[in-house]
Amino acid sequence: MAPQPVVTGLSPKEGPPGTRVIIRGEFLGTKASDLIGLKICGCDCLLSAEWKSTNKIIGRTGPGKGKGDIIVTTISGGQGTSTVQFRAYHETIGGPLKESAVWIEESPAQNFAWGRRSLAPSALTQEDPLGLSIEGNEQKIPEDLRDLLPEASGDLSQESFSPAWFLLENHLATSFGDLKLGLSYLKRKVESQKEGQLSFLKSNAGSVIDQLDTLMNIRDKLQEDGRLYGNEMLNVLEDSIQNSIAESQKIFTDVLIRKEKADSTRAVLFALSRHKFLFCLPNSVDKRAQAGEYDIVVNDYSRAKNLFGKTEIPVFRNILEEVDQRVVQIRKQLHEKVVQMPQSIEQQKKLIKALINLEVQQSGTSIGEKWRNVDPAWDAIDARAKYLEYTFKQTFEQYSNKDSAAQEKGKNRDPNLPPARVLFCEEICDIAASQLPEMWRLGQLYFTGELRGPNDPKPGDFKRMILNAIEKLCTYLRVAILINSDLRTIRQTTGLSWPIGSSSATHQFLPWVTQCLRYTRITYAALIQLDLPSEALDIIQKFIDEIRLFCLTIIFKRAIERSAKLGERETWEMGVEDFPGVTLLPSYLEELIIETLDEVQTSCMNPEIKEGNLLEPRSDGQREISTRLQEFLLSFCAVIEELAYQSHDEETPTHNISQLLGYPHTAQTSGRFWCSTVVTWEQRMLCCLANCSYCNKSFFPHVGEIFVKYGYPLPTLAIEASRYAVNELFTNLLEAYVEHKGDPLVGTIEPSMYLGRFQWDNEMEIGKLRPYAHECCDNLVGVYSEIFTISPALLRPILEPIVLTVSEELARLMSCVQKFSYTGAIQANVDIRLIHDVLNYYTNETGKNYFMEALEAINPPLDSAQLKKADEILEHAKQNMRLQLMCFSVKDP
């Protein structure tokens, strides 16, 4: 809190009321609004205070008297103190032109010389009552006389005159002897005024004598007049006046008769002129009605009824009856104009008011009861409702016929131009947004009493009119926009149908559905401002939700159609770092999904004013989103399947055929992938398998996260169904690839084994593998390298079934051998064990059992010497085939 204000200086320090005082001090306020109080000598002077700075305030004194403090009060510092005082006094008014800030009581000034009231008292003409000269007597008393004599005054004209004050002020330096002489002078002057009437007459003798002479002259004149005319002086005058009247009557009798006739004629003309308004009223109301100035007709008719409604004069009654007839005709014309459409609500309101006023003024009369309007305002509302329904129907027929004619001609419409359905939606929404508010406002004026007639209002009927109009609007829009809805049901219930066009025309219309939604929303926003009943707003709100859902479906269907063509963008370029073999195709789908969600969010998903949420739990919108997403992803699965099975005529078959039998080996074609830009069927199949695996494990759940990011509920059902579908596609593609790769490879084992009439019961040179075992391993290495180049993650899913078929084929071939020679048994053991050891990492339990069956089929079984020899040969063969062993020993490729 700031320090208290302190007043340390004044200028001036005394003065009468209204004196301008400059107050100086410290802490007198930080700003003008901080100053809340100023008292000078106990009087509140805040209204005249002018804050200059924190050290200076200017104010004017009040009507106080005497010495007092100057107290300043501020908001920041509170009530202050003063180290100086101001002396306030009231001035003596010395003349009529002297300004004064307070009211001064006037008292009669006495002239001591004559004892009369002075006409113009002035301090300048006042003489010293002691008869002493005050020249040279300039010595003043050092003290303030107001402090010594607070209730006295030194002015001779005041009631509070004090001799002491007078002497101290005017004769402070006069000697005592002179004062005694002045007292003697004053006594003589007073004694001279006490001599009485005699002295007064002596001083005014001339005036008294003049007055006596005047009185004597008046008496002589009266006596002489009596002698000449007698005591009855007015009789002669009266007789003369009577004679004058008689003579004047004789002279002006004819003149007076003519004057009476002129006066009566003038009176009639005056009456005609005075009541000209009534006589001209029949023609006037007709002219005003033809000009549309019905308010003037109402005012004139009301004025005539007030002035002449109760008259008994036949002429006036006849004119009023004629005016009533004219007004009845005007009322009929007004009623016809009220129900005539189209017209603005202001014009209709003006006509209704004029019609009601005229009917009220004619109520109670015989002619007024003959023709009465039931309720003109309600008739106007009903006419506007019927016109709105007629306008809806006419607009619908106009555009539907136009669209039908255009389809019959078969002309190609410019896709950039809006179809007839869109133009119809725009126009009918404009009609509803302009006419429905006017109809509602007219109804409000009716129910508030401004346009109500003598009958009771009908709120139920008006509510049904509003609901019917909105239902009609939604029905027409539903027929035009929702082309995929149950049109047969709508046709049966409403009798409305839009001509069914070609698929191309329908396809051209679908992108414009969002525009139709915008038109409907604009109309809905205009109706919300009218404070309509909730039932009316619910009708259009539900319809808007239907359009939004339809728009959502259309956008997703268009996106699904685009997704079905994503295969055209496939370049077989790998673009996912964590999933080798995955192409850019899933990223194209993700871009399409994000683009679709953005379009849906902008067009129809974000709710506007008083619109519902399409994604309520277990709602149609949520089910629609799940269904469309599932279609989206299944369409993508179809794209992958199409890309996997499509073939090119220029491709060379790349089956793994045995070189021993004279067919090309897979290594030649595998190298072709790197030296040529042509992508083989096997490589495409591997990429599609990688895409399926990526979709199942990562991409489809990521799509669900995208939907959640955009505010949609997690479409779990759609994601799981799509994952199941893509997993099933992966299985089918895998079986096709394994069959394509495994069957030729397994089919070459038996021919290669018995090439050159080889038999297992013949003795043979041992020490290395048989050619069929080398070829089998080499073929599997070729398959391995092809898979590893594209997607190493597919090695186990593909190689396991191929190895299983190889092991099964070896078990079958070994079981078919009747007898093995000593060296043949060792060679078969080495071959089978080597193949088993090479493919051990990709052999499942079933395959291992097949390898065991193959070894057990060697008959007779190997003895210890044979096993030792077989182990030596196997170890030597593994050293020679260490590259193949290293290739198949990679546990996490």
Side-chain angles (χ1 to χ4, degrees), residues 392 428 436 463-478 494 496 527 535-536 538-540 543:
F392 284 166
I428 197 172
L436 264 176
K463 183 178 180 181
R464 282 191 295 272
M465 285 183 181
I466 295 295
L467 293 178
N468 181 61
I470 294 180
E471 286 177 353
K472 287 287 185 182
L473 171 66
C474 294
T475 301
Y476 284 115
L477 289 174
R478 184 176 286 105
T494 62
L496 300 175
L527 297 182
E535 296 92 333
D538 289 343
I539 294 173
I540 192 168
F543 174 65

Side-chain angles (χ1 to χ4, degrees), residues 820-836:
F820 288 87
S821 64
Y822 182 86
T823 55
I826 296 174
Q827 185 66 47
N829 182 276
V830 170
D831 292 342
I832 294 172
R833 287 173 62 191
L834 181 65
I835 295 174
H836 172 268

